[in-house]
Amino acid sequence: MSLDFSVNNNASAASILSNLQYVNNQINTSYQQLSTGNRVNSAADDPAGYAIAQQMTAQVNALNQAVQNAQNGISMLQTASGAMNQITNILQTMNTLAVEAANGTENSADLNNLNQEFVDLQNQIDNIASQTKFNTMTLLDGSFATTSVVFQINTDSTGNSQLAVTIPQVNISALFGGTIQITSQSLAQAAIASVQAAITSLSAYQAQVGAVEDQLNYTVSNLQNTENNLQNAESTITNTDMAQAYTQFSQQQVLQQVGLAMLSQADQQPDAILKLLQ
C-alpha cells in the first residue's frame, strides 16, 4: 500500500469537495422544492416533465379563458333575453288595450285615449330595442339578426370550438312593419291579430335564446371539469411530495455535515509532510 504525500495536489480533498458541491446543489434544489411546493421549477429539474407540464399549463390557461368567453356569452344573451321579456310585457298590455278598443261601446274620445297609450307603448319598445346594449354593442336593433355573434367556447380554431348565435331584431318595424293604431274598432281588431302574432314570434325568439343559454351553461360545466382534470394531472408532475422531499433534504444535510468534517480531515493530510521534515 502506497501513501501519496504531495503538497501541490490533495486528491482526497478535491474528491470530497466535488461530492460536497454536489450535495450543496441538491440541498439548494430541495430548498426550492420545499419553499415553492413545486417539484419542477425549471427544465433542469425534469426536462420531460417540464415540457409536458408547460403544455398542460397552456391548455389550462386556454380552458380558463374559454370558460370566461362562455360566461360572457351567457351574460350577453341574458341581457337580450331580459329586454325581450320587458317587450313581451309591453305587448301583453298592448293586446289588452287593443281588445278593449275593439269593443263597440268605446266612443271616439275613449279610442283616442286608448290609442295614445297604445302608441306610447310602441315608442317604449323602440326605445328598449335601441338602448339594450352589451359592451357598447346594441343587441336588439338587428345588428346580429343576419350577422351572427360568434362565441369562442373551446381551445382550438375549429368550428367545434365556436358557437354562432343570431339575435333577432325586436322593434316596431320588425314586429309590426311600422306603428299601428287603435283609433277605430276595425283598426283595433286588426291590431289584436298583429300584437298576438308579435307575442308568438317574440316568445319563439326567447325560447331560442334560452336554449343557447342552456347550451353555454353545459359548455361551462364541461370546460371546468376538463380544466380540473388537467390541473390534477399537472400537479402529479410538478407538485412536490413534501414528505419525500423533506426526507431527502434531511439526508442531504447529514451528507453535507459529514462532507465538511471529512474535508477538514483531508485538508490536514499535508501536515504529515511537515512531520517527515522534523
Side-chain angles (χ1 to χ4, degrees):
M1 181 177 179
S2 63
L3 295 177
D4 181 15
F5 290 102
S6 173
V7 175
N8 295 325
N9 182 42
N10 189 336
S12 298
S15 176
I16 293 171
L17 180 61
S18 177
N19 291 332
L20 187 58
Q21 288 173 336
Y22 174 80
V23 171
N24 285 339
N25 289 335
Q26 293 297 104
I27 287 177
N28 289 334
T29 299
S30 294
Y31 277 137
Q32 191 174 36
Q33 291 177 341
L34 289 168
S35 62
T36 63
N38 293 324
R39 183 184 68 86
V40 180
N41 292 285
S42 69
D45 296 330
D46 182 351
Y50 180 83
I52 294 171
Q54 288 301 309
Q55 292 173 358
M56 288 184 173
T57 297
Q59 286 181 286
V60 168
N61 290 339
L63 285 167
N64 280 331
Q65 186 56 57
V67 168
Q68 184 62 57
N69 289 353
Q71 289 174 333
N72 288 342
I74 292 170
S75 297
M76 185 181 198
L77 294 178
Q78 286 176 336
T79 301
S81 180
M84 283 191 281
N85 188 58
Q86 292 300 315
I87 292 174
T88 298
N89 292 337
I90 292 173
L91 289 174
Q92 294 290 359
T93 302
M94 289 176 62
N95 182 59
T96 301
L97 291 172
V99 170
E100 183 178 356
N103 190 23
T105 61
E106 306 298 327
N107 60 35
S108 58
D110 295 330
L111 291 174
N112 286 333
N113 289 334
L114 291 171
N115 187 66
Q116 182 62 55
E117 183 179 357
F118 194 77
V119 171
D120 288 345
L121 289 172
Q122 293 175 77
N123 291 335
Q124 182 58 26
I125 289 175
D126 273 347
N127 183 57
I128 292 173
S130 64
Q131 294 300 316
T132 301
K133 298 181 179 182
F134 183 85
N135 194 26
T136 74
M137 294 179 290
T138 306
L139 302 181
L140 302 181
D141 65 345
S143 298
F144 300 109
T146 56
T147 302
S148 302
V149 55
V150 179
F151 302 134
Q152 180 72 31
I153 55 172
N154 217 309
T155 60
D156 58 44
S157 59
T158 67
N160 292 330
S161 291
Q162 298 172 343
L163 179 63
V165 181
T166 57
I167 302 175
Q169 181 179 357
V170 188
N171 53 23
I172 295 305
S173 175
L175 293 173
F176 306 128
T179 303
I180 56 177
Q181 307 275 342
I182 55 172
T183 52
S184 68
Q185 187 175 13
S186 60
L187 287 175
Q189 290 171 340
I192 292 173
S194 296
V195 172
Q196 290 181 355
I199 291 172
T200 300
S201 297
L202 193 54
S203 297
Y205 294 154
Q206 287 178 282
Q208 292 171 9
V209 170
V212 176
E213 284 185 53
D214 287 341
Q215 185 177 353
L216 287 173
N217 278 318
Y218 285 122
T219 297
V220 168
S221 296
N222 182 60
L223 290 172
Q224 289 174 333
N225 180 62
T226 303
E227 174 199 344
N228 288 335
N229 289 334
L230 270 176
Q231 284 183 325
N232 290 336
E234 181 191 7
S235 70
T236 62
I237 297 172
T238 61
N239 285 5
T240 301
D241 183 334
M242 301 301 285
Q244 181 184 24
Y246 190 76
T247 299
Q248 291 175 343
F249 175 66
S250 299
Q251 293 172 342
Q252 290 155 3
Q253 283 186 312
V254 172
L255 289 174
Q256 183 187 50
Q257 293 169 8
V258 171
L260 290 171
M262 291 301 97
L263 182 61
S264 176
Q265 292 296 321
D267 284 341
Q268 294 176 15
Q269 282 187 358
D271 291 345
I273 297 174
L274 294 177
K275 294 185 182 298
L276 292 174
L277 298 176
Q278 289 177 356

